[in-house]
Amino acid sequence: MNMKIAVLPGDGIGPEITAEAVRVLKALDLKFEFEEAPIGGAGYRALGHPLPESTLELARASDAILFGAVGDFSLDNLPRELRPEQAILGIRRALNLFANFRPAMVYPELVNASSLKPEVVAGLDLLIVRELTGDIYFGQPRGVQVLENGEREGFDTMRYKESEIRRVAQVAFEAARKRGRKLCSVDKSNVLETMQLWREIMIEVGKEYPDVELSHMYVDNAAMQLAYRPKQFDVIVTGNMFGDILSDEASMLTGSIGMLPSASLNEKNFGLYEPIHGSAPDIAGKGIANPLATILSAAMMLRYSLDQSAAADRIEGAVKQVLAQGYRTGDIAEPGRKTVGTREMGDAVVAAL
Ligand code: NAD
């Protein structure tokens, strides 16, 4: 049976980079059916809403979603609910995509792009699994209230239900199983009640995965260890707020925004796959964007949603090969070095396959 992929290119460089990822998928000996729909600013222009109902329907009817990026500065004056960026929040919520996967890898050829010493980051390959739909970002009550003395007080609430912790624990353990079988749960259980529950549930779920080594780390220490000895980690699982911060820190260890893929999954491993960067309006339409983050997102899609690990390995191997052959888009090239455009980079990956 064909695997149905919803292709949502979005804005800016989105259409250029998703086109290359689709070409790479088509070069595999697998059967896909691709269907495209507008989202973000493109959704608003075509159908009056950043997340049109027909786009959501297509996403629901597919086996996986390949997403480019959304964001269009010329629409920034629209009311908040019609801004392009609302589409990504809306689709995650609508499809209950509660687990965000952010790998950070350092390729030997790009080791100098990191701001850390090469020996600290060479060979780095870690995955951060961030819970995406709970925690202090969504917990009620929240607000700003006026106290009796007239002073204002802001408040938010950190909340996690047992079921929310358990389901993200399960996907993180499953992911660790597909990698180096080491999972580090990051919390703040020394100070926060919610995080004590988090740790308890992690330990409980860990009993179902005796083949995965579970460890725990406080978030302040994890932030230090990521910068100090990042290679000690295989998979990190953490809550929404801590994951927000740590995943950005981890991506900067690699120094190359145009190389990093991501996934957002539900409990059935259905997911949305996208590069971590935005729509890069400054270079849109010029044919110079780096398509590798999106191509690597397509590889993640094969591994996590479509059960095609061998094909995922092939794509990742092809990306390593083109880097070794010296292909560089402008964002990852050393000064003075020859660069290729989006299309040529896609061609090189297809040829390497
Ligand atoms: P950005 O990630 O789009 O760009 C930051 C810088 O990195 C720019 O100089 C850009 O040219 C460069 N860059 C990004 N991707 C690149 C690639 N593949 N190849 C080469 N260079 C690349 O972030 P920004 O400029 O802060 O935001 C632009 C728009 O994207 C905004 O509207 C923002 O809200 C949106 N955004 C969307 C997402 C998403 O869709 N998930 C994520 C982040 C930002």
Side-chain angles (χ1 to χ4, degrees):
M1 223 177 61
N2 284 352
M3 292 174 274
K4 181 161 178 170
I5 314 296
V7 181
L8 313 181
D11 306 317
I13 59 171
E16 301 162 55
I17 55 181
T18 45
E20 296 312 311
V22 167
R23 272 195 331 124
V24 168
L25 288 169
K26 282 183 176 165
L28 297 167
D29 40 9
L30 294 171
K31 289 200 160 56
F32 294 107
E33 184 188 329
F34 297 97
E35 196 174 332
E36 217 177 280
I39 195 162
Y44 177 77
R45 286 181 207 282
L47 298 162
H49 197 277
L51 180 55
E53 194 48 45
S54 51
T55 298
L56 199 51
E57 258 169 47
L58 169 68
R60 283 205 173 98
S62 65
D63 296 307
I65 305 162
L66 184 66
F67 187 95
V70 291
D72 180 338
F73 292 135
S74 69
L75 299 176
D76 274 357
N77 293 330
L78 287 172
R80 174 175 285 277
E81 67 277 12
L82 291 179
R83 295 233 194 110
E85 289 83 354
Q86 291 301 313
I88 185 71
L89 301 175
I91 198 168
R92 282 175 181 162
R93 204 177 313 119
L95 302 175
N96 205 14
L97 306 174
F98 64 82
N100 189 221
F101 281 35
R102 290 258 301 248
M105 257 186 96
V106 171
Y107 295 88
E109 295 80 9
L110 304 182
V111 76
N112 289 322
S114 174
S115 55
L116 296 188
K117 293 189 190 104
E119 61 269 27
V120 176
V121 293
L124 176 77
D125 179 3
L126 69 85
L127 171 68
I128 297 194
V129 179
R130 164 189 170 195
E131 201 288 331
L132 207 54
T133 54
D135 204 351
I136 195 164
Y137 291 176
F138 295 95
Q140 294 289 344
R142 60 192 291 162
V144 177
Q145 64 186 3
V146 183
L147 300 175
E148 276 174 15
N149 67 1
E151 190 187 3
R152 283 179 304 159
E153 176 188 49
F155 58 99
D156 296 270
T157 312
M158 177 177 274
R159 280 175 182 270
Y160 264 122
K161 280 192 260 186
E162 211 175 321
S163 54
E164 291 173 315
I165 304 170
R166 184 164 283 117
R167 65 184 188 177
V168 76
Q170 274 159 345
V171 296
F173 275 105
E174 292 290 337
R177 244 184 199 166
K178 290 184 179 164
R179 296 174 41 104
R181 295 175 185 263
K182 270 171 59 182
L183 179 65
C184 179
S185 167
V186 170
D187 63 35
K188 189 74 184 168
S189 58
N190 49 344
V191 179
L192 299 168
E193 305 288 332
T194 316
M195 288 288 121
Q196 275 178 27
L197 180 66
W198 175 279
R199 187 174 286 210
E200 244 174 66
I201 304 292
M202 284 292 154
I203 293 170
E204 215 178 287
V205 175
K207 293 191 179 129
E208 297 160 34
Y209 297 86
D211 53 321
V212 177
E213 182 196 318
L214 172 66
S215 61
H216 306 272
M217 200 179 271
Y218 298 137
V219 63
D220 42 348
N221 187 25
M224 284 198 297
Q225 294 297 329
L226 269 175
Y228 176 53
R229 274 199 318 120
K231 283 186 270 184
Q232 69 187 283
F233 298 108
D234 175 26
V235 181
I236 290 175
V237 61
T238 189
N240 201 348
M241 178 166 61
F242 298 159
D244 189 0
I245 300 163
L246 294 182
S247 62
D248 267 15
E249 183 188 359
S251 67
M252 271 303 106
L253 298 175
T254 74
S256 43
I257 195 174
M259 295 294 302
L260 296 169
S262 79
S264 305
L265 303 178
N266 74 8
E267 71 274 14
K268 294 196 179 105
N269 290 328
F270 172 78
L272 178 147
Y273 296 83
E274 59 172 329
I276 70 155
H277 59 73
S279 58
D282 51 334
I283 57 167
K286 295 186 179 162
I288 58 171
N290 186 349
L292 293 179
T294 317
I295 291 171
L296 291 167
S297 301
M300 283 185 86
M301 177 172 85
L302 290 164
R303 175 167 295 115
Y304 292 110
S305 283
L306 304 175
D307 223 7
Q308 300 286 343
S309 294
D313 290 345
R314 276 188 69 199
I315 293 182
E316 287 161 359
V319 168
K320 285 185 188 146
Q321 192 178 320
V322 301
L323 292 173
Q325 287 168 339
Y327 288 93
R328 301 281 186 277
T329 43
D331 58 312
I332 53 171
E334 282 162 30
R337 228 178 130 146
K338 184 174 175 297
T339 60
V340 298
T342 312
R343 177 88 199 190
E344 280 166 285
M345 188 59 109
D347 284 341
V349 176
V350 169
L353 278 176

